[in-house]
Amino acid sequence: MNPTRFGLPVAAGFVATALAAALLPGAAMAQVSDDIVKIGVLTDMNGPASAPTGQGSVTAAQMAIDDFGGTVLGKPISIVIGDHQLKADVGGAIARRWFDVDKVDLIVDVPVSAVGLAVQNIANEKKRLFITHSTGTADFHGKFCSPYAMQWVFDTRALAVGTADAVVKRGGDSWFFITDDYAFGHSLERDASSVVTANGGKVLGSVKPPLATPDLSSFVLQAQASKAKIIGIAAGPPNNMNEIKTGSEFGVFKGGQQMAALLALITDIHGLGLQAAQGLLLTTSFYWDMDDKTREWSKRYFAKMNKMPSMWQAGVYSSVMHYLNAIKDAGTDDPLKVAAKMREKPVEDFFARNGRLRDDNLMVHDLWLVQVKTPEESKYPWDYYKILTTISGDKAFGPPDPACALVKK
């Protein structure tokens, strides 16, 4: 006779008991909260940052979800879209609603540092994850670092090391900055200035136009009058390219001065044109035409968007894919458990080389110093950059900031 328990064979009894426990409300912890993984792309859909973020970031996130298979741990993955209009209060309100009402698990993108820092505060409060791609202030993983917020593509220090270091070593040892008057621009000027002076150069001054200033003439004229060898553009779109265009019109280059863009994206170069941008030095985390891996993904993206991706848009795909793999490996979408899994594995994909997510939640990876080609050097559409050198992630990003409470002392 087979042993029985409560009239059932023991093995069957165990199965029945386990099945009943799984069906009881609250008896077993769900692997995925709310039975769905929801990713919010919070971006600038129509404003001055929309070309390098915007719909392209939405498309990149959706490509990652589709390539992953549309589900994780047997649960669907969905995407929601928000336009913060480059306003911190609008972005903060959307993030709060997403976390409280819509049960969003992860927010990505978020251009402009002021908006990014506002969203970071809410992510901390709500204990949900946030990955920024287009917020560059190094304070994000420094004094404001958070176990819930990650910085994936770049920071101001990395761009300063890449561009300012190379330019000073090429003889550009006197600088004057045109700096966007908000957290990102200030951070970029600060970090670049420290690199310039550390290499024996001098900073002669700076001017600070507000974001999206319609007429930059007076600021460019002040920089031109400084007689600095290098006019450092410590700005993002749209000011950065407008300053380069205005400088070209005012004869900055013909007068012997050079402009160095501390942040310039391929979408900026495309909009400005090679005739105006040729010779510009800049540092980037990604270039679509670097190798077979970058070209394969970028051509799929181009088929959907009819343009090549910025480093921010490519980074959105990379981080969403890494996040979904971490959920799969962790067996849960619990934010801190997922973040821990994301730190365990290297980030080695079409976007990142030698990438890893550090304890301060900065994704450190190699960058490239590039020079914008002349019209004659460009052989096909979007053939814009000459890669001059690789900058290792450790050199570019430097050591963790001791001000970050997550850093092991």
Side-chain angles (χ1 to χ4, degrees):
M1 180 181 295
N2 291 332
T4 60
R5 179 176 295 173
F6 305 116
L8 291 171
V10 171
F14 284 162
V15 172
T17 302
L19 181 60
L23 294 174
L24 287 173
M29 183 174 63
Q31 292 176 310
V32 173
S33 59
D34 308 304
D35 289 327
I36 188 170
V37 172
K38 194 173 290 188
I39 298 171
V41 182
L42 184 55
T43 188
D44 174 24
M45 292 300 292
N46 300 294
S50 60
T53 62
Q55 182 58 47
S57 294
V58 175
T59 296
Q62 188 64 58
M63 287 175 67
I65 292 169
D66 293 343
D67 288 351
F68 194 80
T71 65
V72 61
L73 301 179
K75 305 298 182 182
I77 307 163
S78 72
I79 194 169
V80 295
I81 305 164
D83 183 358
H84 62 53
Q85 304 167 42
L86 303 182
K87 298 175 182 177
D89 57 340
V90 174
I94 293 172
R96 188 175 296 279
R97 186 183 74 246
W98 278 359
F99 287 145
D100 284 344
V101 179
D102 299 325
K103 306 303 180 185
V104 167
D105 298 289
L106 167 69
I107 292 177
V108 299
D109 201 10
V110 192
V112 182
S113 294
V115 186
L117 291 171
V119 173
Q120 183 187 39
N121 287 336
I122 294 166
N124 291 342
E125 177 189 338
K126 301 300 179 182
K127 297 181 170 53
R128 301 289 182 91
L129 291 182
F130 166 40
I131 306 176
T132 185
H133 307 82
S134 41
T135 291
T137 175
D139 289 338
F140 193 90
H141 62 86
K143 63 183 179 180
F144 299 134
C145 73
S146 158
Y148 297 97
M150 305 170 192
Q151 197 164 20
W152 202 261
V153 175
F154 78 114
D155 72 359
T156 51
R157 185 194 186 280
L159 298 187
V161 168
T163 307
D165 182 74
V167 171
V168 172
K169 289 178 179 177
R170 289 166 179 256
D173 56 4
S174 62
W175 287 61
F176 187 96
F177 288 96
I178 306 178
T179 301
D180 274 357
D181 194 13
Y182 64 104
F184 168 74
H186 298 169
S187 182
L188 198 59
E189 180 187 336
R190 179 194 67 204
D191 294 337
S193 295
S194 67
V195 173
V196 171
T197 55
N199 281 282
K202 296 180 180 180
V203 177
L204 304 183
S206 68
V207 287
K208 295 180 170 59
L211 177 67
T213 298
D215 184 1
L216 292 158
S217 301
S218 64
F219 301 100
V220 173
L221 287 171
Q222 289 179 72
Q224 191 172 20
S226 74
K227 303 299 182 184
K229 293 180 182 178
I230 306 297
I231 298 174
I233 307 300
N239 281 8
N240 54 356
M241 290 301 112
N242 288 338
E243 286 154 6
I244 293 169
K245 182 179 180 181
T246 303
S248 178
E249 293 170 351
F250 286 3
V252 166
F253 301 106
K254 292 180 180 178
Q257 291 174 297
Q258 175 65 50
M259 284 186 161
L262 300 179
L263 171 64
L265 301 151
I266 196 165
T267 46
D268 299 327
I269 305 303
H270 184 73
L272 190 60
L274 293 183
Q275 189 63 44
Q278 60 184 305
L280 191 70
L281 290 170
L282 59 103
T283 298
T284 185
S285 291
F286 175 80
Y287 177 44
W288 77 270
D289 203 17
M290 190 180 78
D291 59 26
D292 289 342
K293 287 199 296 185
T294 59
R295 282 188 284 272
E296 188 278 330
W297 184 85
S298 298
K299 287 176 180 177
R300 289 202 293 128
Y301 175 94
F302 185 92
K304 297 177 182 293
M305 291 295 299
N306 199 35
K307 65 178 182 178
M308 287 301 177
S310 71
M311 64 178 180
W312 295 342
Q313 291 156 341
V316 167
Y317 179 101
S318 171
S319 66
V320 169
M321 185 63 76
H322 199 70
Y323 167 75
L324 294 174
N325 275 307
I327 292 178
K328 180 181 176 182
D329 292 343
T332 177
D333 67 345
D334 175 87
L336 294 184
K337 291 179 181 178
V338 171
K341 282 293 180 184
M342 292 177 73
R343 287 189 291 270
E344 282 183 13
K345 288 190 174 181
V347 185
E348 192 72 32
D349 55 19
F350 79 91
F351 169 78
R353 302 294 185 276
N354 301 308
R356 71 186 192 281
L357 188 63
R358 292 194 315 204
D359 289 342
D360 58 356
N361 276 340
L362 172 68
M363 205 278 277
V364 174
H365 54 282
D366 295 347
L367 289 86
W368 290 269
L369 178 70
V370 302
Q371 187 171 34
V372 177
K373 291 183 174 182
T374 66
E376 294 73 29
E377 290 171 322
S378 179
K379 302 304 181 186
Y380 41 84
W382 296 87
D383 176 25
Y384 292 161
Y385 292 163
K386 292 183 291 187
I387 297 177
L388 301 182
T389 190
T390 300
I391 307 163
S392 73
D394 288 336
K395 179 180 180 183
F397 291 96
D401 188 339
C404 173
L406 303 175
V407 175
K408 295 181 177 67
K409 300 299 190 286

